[in-house]
Structures are given as structure tokens and as C-alpha cells.
Amino acid sequence: GNSVTQMEGPVTLSEEAFLTINCTYTATGYPSLFWYVQYPGEGLQLLLKATKADDKGSNKGFEATYRKETTSFHLEKGSVQVSDSAVYFCALTSPTETSYDKVIFGPGTSLSVIP
Amino acid sequence: DTGVSQNPRHKITKRGQNVTFRCDPISEHNRLYWYRQTLGQGPEFLTYFQNEAQLEKSRLLSDRFSAERPKGSFSTLEIQRTEQGDSAMYLCASPRDSGANVLTFGAGSRLTVL
């Protein structure tokens, strides 16, 4: 079945450090890939998405590139801020699912950025 | 305001009691999803509605769980005879817009079973 694997956290970085959170997936067909973020005390929200191979999703300085050959969608940011402290979830939807909206999530990676 | 409203935000109950959660999704969208999230885990799919029809249920949804969407608008998720293992955050979501395959989530209803 479809699944998502993420690097385990928690990840602790100093402000302005470079961030990479690894994500790999297993899916049939051609999934769409997402990063969702959950800030403390808030609901899940979409950070970025990519719908086909080699697409790059970007938002708020974060980027991720859909790599079909390595089945990966790693999240990167060049300079993190304290306000980026949150839990990040890699996710996918697959057109082979009964509902193409159904999102399958990875376990999440907690990021703490210290001043 | 995410457009998806859930209540109550937090429910504490004793084992064996019944609880009900309500979700008011983004209006004009006919699909609605329920997920469950436990501490340190990603959200897990529970069930999905298109209008009032419940089209898919996860194996996680035991017979103590029932979800309804009587008029194709709001939805309820009821848990009967709660167990401590039911303690989790219950999330509701609906598509952000038609055809986008992006979900907008509510803030969730946290259940604590003592």
C-alpha cells in the first residue's frame, strides 16, 4: 500500500541554520506530494505541494522537489527562524485511491529552532 | 479561521462513557474526512463522506465508532464505551477547493479517556 517515511526527530537547530528533513514514499501510480505543518496549538496546514515529477513546491522559504527516481520529497530551508518551530508532515495523495483527496501522512518530524 | 470548525475542542471522559464530536466543514464542498492523531504520530485516516454517503472506513474504525453526515453538511463522530486507547486528537478535514486534492483541517477535538 501507499506509505510515507520521514526522518525521525526531534531536530534542533540554531537560528539561520540550514534545514533538511528527509521524506521518501511508496505509492502506486503517480502520487501528488505534500508537506503539511502543525504549529504549536494550531491545526494542520498545507506548506507546499508538487503534483508531478521534477516539480518544485515552495512557500515561506521552504522548498521540496518531487524526485520520482529516488521516490523522495525532501524539505529544505536555507535559513530557519524561531517561528519555524513546528511539526512537519510529509504526505501524499494517490489517484488510485477511492478518493483522490485522501491524504496519507508520514509520522512527522518535530523541529525546534533556538535563538 | 481555517473554515473547518470542530467542537468540543477538548473532552475529558471516564472509560466506558460515550462521546460525540461535531465537524462543520467548508461549505459547498461535498467531501469530508475524519482522521485520528495520537501523540508523536501522523494523522491516520478513519473515514470519508461524499455528501451524506459514507464511502470508505478504515480498519481503525471499530464497531464502537460511528460517523454520520445526515444532511451532507455537518458530521458527527461518536465513540461508544470509550477506552483509554481512544485518547487522541480527532481531526476533520474537507477539500480546500474543488479538484485541488488539498485538505483543510480543523483544529481538532482532543479526547482524554481516564
Side-chain angles (χ1 to χ4, degrees):
Chain A
N2 299 331
S3 66
V4 176
T5 303
Q6 290 180 237
M7 66 184 283
E8 290 191 17
V11 174
T12 302
L13 295 174
S14 297
E15 208 165 21
E16 300 183 1
F18 184 85
L19 169 71
T20 299
I21 301 178
N22 290 336
C23 170
T24 57
Y25 66 90
T26 301
T28 53
Y30 298 91
S32 293
L33 303 175
F34 307 83
W35 280 98
Y36 280 79
V37 60
Q38 191 169 34
Y39 297 104
E42 298 185 17
L44 276 164
Q45 55 186 279
L46 178 71
L47 179 61
L48 54 84
K49 64 179 280 190
T51 57
K52 61 183 187 296
D54 300 325
D55 268 1
K56 178 185 285 187
S58 61
N59 187 25
K60 299 181 181 180
F62 290 88
E63 293 183 339
T65 300
Y66 188 144
R67 300 287 188 200
K68 188 172 186 296
E69 65 276 12
T70 55
T71 62
S72 65
F73 193 55
H74 304 320
L75 182 68
E76 297 182 335
K77 186 174 186 182
S79 176
V80 293
Q81 305 301 312
V82 172
S83 57
D84 294 326
S85 298
V87 181
Y88 292 83
F89 295 93
C90 187
L92 65 82
T93 62
S94 172
T96 60
E97 293 286 346
T98 52
S99 162
Y100 71 94
D101 297 317
K102 188 173 91 176
V103 182
I104 296 169
F105 289 90
T109 302
S110 175
L111 170 67
S112 293
V113 180
I114 54 177
Chain B
D1 181 7
T2 64
V4 178
S5 176
Q6 293 187 247
N7 65 80
R9 291 292 305 276
H10 196 180
K11 178 72 174 178
I12 301 173
T13 191
K14 293 182 179 179
R15 190 176 54 183
Q17 298 296 303
N18 299 342
V19 297
T20 300
F21 301 116
R22 174 174 170 134
C23 171
D24 289 89
I26 297 172
S27 59
E28 84 263 5
H29 288 303
N30 58 10
R31 296 188 298 281
L32 182 150
Y33 297 79
W34 284 99
Y35 283 79
R36 181 174 72 183
Q37 186 178 18
T38 53
L39 197 62
Q41 300 296 317
E44 298 170 295
F45 170 78
L46 291 179
T47 190
Y48 147 65
F49 288 86
Q50 180 151 329
N51 298 314
E52 65 275 12
Q54 189 174 17
L55 296 186
E56 187 177 348
K57 294 198 301 185
S58 163
R59 286 172 294 178
L60 294 174
L61 219 61
S62 76
D63 56 7
R64 295 185 297 106
F65 288 71
S66 62
E68 294 182 346
R69 196 180 182 200
K71 297 182 180 179
S73 57
F74 73 92
S75 176
T76 58
L77 176 68
E78 181 182 16
I79 309 174
Q80 296 182 327
R81 305 181 304 281
T82 52
E83 301 173 356
Q84 288 185 324
D86 298 331
S87 296
M89 180 75 85
Y90 291 86
L91 300 170
C92 178
S94 64
R96 189 172 65 178
D97 47 60
S98 178
N101 78 341
V102 173
L103 294 181
T104 295
F105 284 84
S109 294
R110 180 171 296 284
L111 173 65
T112 301
V113 181
L114 302 177

